[in-house]
Amino acid sequence: MSLMFAGKLAGLLADVLLAARLGTGQTADALFIALGFPLFVDTVTRESAKFSLVPIFVQYRNQRPNRYHHFVSGLLNASLAGGVVLLLVAGIGAPWIVQGLGPGMSAEGITQATHLLWMCAPLLLFAPAITIQGVLLNSEKRFSRVALRSAVTPGIVALTLSATWNQPGAATWAAGGYSAGFTVYFAVLAAGIRRNAELQYKWNAWPTSKDIGEIRAALSWPSMGFVVRQVARLLERAIASLVMVGGVSSYYFASRIYSGVQSVIGTSIATTGLPNLSLQSTKGDREEAQQQVRKQTFQVVLLAVPAAAVLLLFNETIIDLIYGRGEFGTKAIQRTTGLLFWFGPGILFSCLIPTLSTVLYSLRQYRYVFWNMVAMAGLNLALAWGLARTAGFGLQGIAAAVSLTALCGAISLAFLIRKAGLPLSASL
């Protein structure tokens, strides 16, 4: 958790510099629209694989050691080939991708975003391979290098913006920083695998039909679920672009604080606990797994409740302290403060969701994960459109929709875990 927290500080520094250089105007909107597609691919591959593939990696290493090295090497090689295909897709289709993600942008903004997407395209080359590298290291309980993810890319973005502070084209420099950050992080993970992981890499390996079948069984439902959820996130930005100029960037800066708290508390606890949960489920030791889930849930509640209280009581102070400088003026502070306030009530439930989801992953109840994600995405979009556009609450309506959806998602996961045979009703 400490490494993830340090990484979030690096991310916060990058956001502070971006806010000071770009504010919440058209150029900032163009940058975040351009980053939307590469980060969509990165998030879908990473989030769908980091939990669902860990049990398979653990099983191969413990029960089929002779196949383990070919299996992992084949996945790494296939992921790099997939990255090349995605790079070509972004290079050719950038103008159409941008228009779809930012329907409320002006012609000038679309041109800016297209150029920035080309600058960000290298993210797509490495994102799939980084996902497999991270799963491998997590499955062997080597979390430290994987946790550097949240520090390397934003750290390089921050260094790039600092070094070019007096230069024009801040958005272009930032996009280049993101591309450089993913490249460096790929190299960091590769070095970690070479030094620490129990892998004999085979450069000519390729997944067999049996491997593909197991991966498809593990990834199909979670991947579809994360695609639906991330499409919902992209549509949230599209709705924000329709509300006002600067809506996308205002929403981005507020959601970064919200998602940062979720990652430091919810995701870190879930990630470190999954290998043990997977091993306990493989052995059929459900009582031990049940005790661990209750312990993790208690840890999340203990940390998330104070975090939610801080966001609700001190949201304006937080936004002013973090972003209130440079191009980030009074109006930007007011818009972003309103968003952060409505994110606050959902923090506890948002942090519980990763921990509760890992229970279903360890039990390989992938369909439950998928349908929960679909239900959350549909509810989130309906509430966001209804509150922001129909009821006239604007950007604050989108944030309120996120909090309401997180509440419903956490309740739904608790019900599905009970249905899967691992109730959480005993006292913590």
Side-chain angles (χ1 to χ4, degrees):
M1 185 182 293
S2 59
L3 281 174
M4 184 171 287
F5 180 72
K8 290 303 175 182
L9 288 179
L12 182 61
L13 175 60
D15 289 338
V16 167
L17 295 175
L18 282 170
R21 289 298 308 273
L22 301 176
T24 57
Q26 176 179 277
T27 301
D29 283 0
L31 174 63
F32 299 129
I33 289 293
L35 284 168
F37 178 62
L39 294 182
F40 165 80
V41 172
D42 172 56
T43 302
V44 168
T45 56
R46 170 169 44 91
E47 295 294 335
S48 61
K50 76 176 182 181
F51 291 146
S52 57
L53 287 187
V54 166
I56 294 179
F57 275 51
V58 171
Q59 182 184 36
Y60 263 82
R61 188 172 64 252
N62 291 320
Q63 299 179 3
R64 287 180 270 180
N66 294 333
R67 286 280 304 136
Y68 177 68
H69 304 290
H70 187 280
F71 170 73
V72 177
S73 299
L75 286 183
L76 286 169
N77 295 336
S79 63
L80 284 169
V84 173
V85 173
L86 289 169
L87 183 67
L88 293 174
V89 169
I92 296 170
W96 296 279
I97 293 171
V98 165
Q99 290 180 48
L101 297 180
M105 297 183 69
S106 65
E108 182 183 1
I110 289 175
T111 301
Q112 283 183 302
T114 300
H115 167 73
L116 293 170
L117 177 53
W118 285 330
M119 290 290 298
C120 297
L123 274 71
L124 296 164
L125 176 62
F126 295 111
I130 285 173
T131 293
I132 301 301
Q133 290 173 315
V135 170
L136 170 60
L137 291 171
N138 279 338
S139 70
E140 297 186 359
K141 300 183 182 181
R142 304 186 184 278
F143 305 115
S144 57
R145 292 214 178 215
V146 182
L148 289 172
R149 173 188 194 89
S150 54
V152 172
T153 298
I156 290 177
V157 172
L159 286 173
T160 302
L161 290 172
S162 298
T164 60
W165 193 257
N166 294 319
Q167 301 295 322
T172 301
W173 286 111
Y178 276 100
S179 294
F182 266 63
T183 304
V184 170
Y185 184 61
F186 171 82
V188 168
L189 292 184
I193 292 172
R194 182 181 179 87
R195 178 177 300 179
N196 299 316
E198 302 170 7
L199 175 67
Q200 299 171 11
Y201 176 70
K202 302 178 184 297
W203 65 270
N204 60 346
W206 200 254
T208 65
S209 58
K210 184 177 180 180
D211 295 337
I212 293 173
E214 291 204 38
I215 295 301
R216 184 185 296 116
L219 286 184
S220 57
W221 290 105
S223 294
M224 287 188 292
F226 277 108
V227 166
V228 171
R229 194 171 82 174
Q230 292 307 311
V231 166
R233 294 287 179 265
L234 293 177
L235 292 176
E236 283 177 358
R237 293 190 182 188
I239 294 171
S241 77
L242 293 170
V243 172
M244 66 176 67
V245 175
V248 174
S249 47
S250 296
Y251 182 79
Y252 169 84
F253 287 122
S255 66
R256 286 286 289 170
I257 297 175
Y258 173 81
S259 63
V261 175
Q262 182 198 39
S263 296
V264 169
I265 298 174
T267 304
S268 61
I269 291 174
T271 301
T272 54
L274 180 58
N276 286 334
L277 270 177
S278 300
L279 187 59
Q280 290 155 4
S281 296
T282 299
K283 293 178 178 179
D285 191 354
R286 292 205 170 192
E287 183 176 348
E288 188 69 25
Q290 193 176 46
Q291 291 176 359
Q292 180 173 333
V293 174
R294 289 171 182 160
K295 178 182 177 181
Q296 290 177 198
T297 302
F298 177 74
Q299 291 173 337
V300 170
V301 173
L302 190 65
L303 294 171
V305 169
V310 169
L311 292 187
L312 286 169
L313 295 174
F314 304 106
N315 46 81
E316 184 174 1
T317 302
I318 291 170
I319 294 299
D320 190 24
L321 182 64
I322 295 175
Y323 299 129
R325 57 187 57 82
E327 295 296 321
F328 206 90
T330 303
K331 290 185 178 180
I333 291 173
Q334 291 174 347
R335 285 198 299 263
T336 312
T337 295
L339 283 162
L340 187 59
F341 174 83
W342 286 103
F343 277 133
I347 281 291
L348 170 60
F349 311 108
S350 177
C351 290
L352 282 171
I353 285 172
T355 295
L356 297 177
S357 296
T358 55
V359 181
L360 297 176
Y361 282 115
S362 68
L363 298 173
R364 301 197 180 186
Q365 296 289 346
Y366 303 124
R367 291 194 181 193
Y368 287 171
V369 177
F370 168 74
W371 288 114
N372 187 67
M373 289 182 181
V374 170
M376 288 176 61
L379 177 62
N380 187 33
L381 281 178
L383 288 172
W385 182 266
L387 293 174
R389 301 288 290 173
T390 305
F393 288 107
L395 296 176
Q396 295 181 19
I398 303 176
V402 171
S403 291
L404 289 170
T405 303
L407 167 62
C408 296
I411 293 173
S412 173
L413 282 169
F415 169 77
L416 292 172
I417 290 170
R418 174 176 288 275
K419 188 175 180 181
L422 203 70
L424 306 176
S425 57
S427 61
L428 298 174

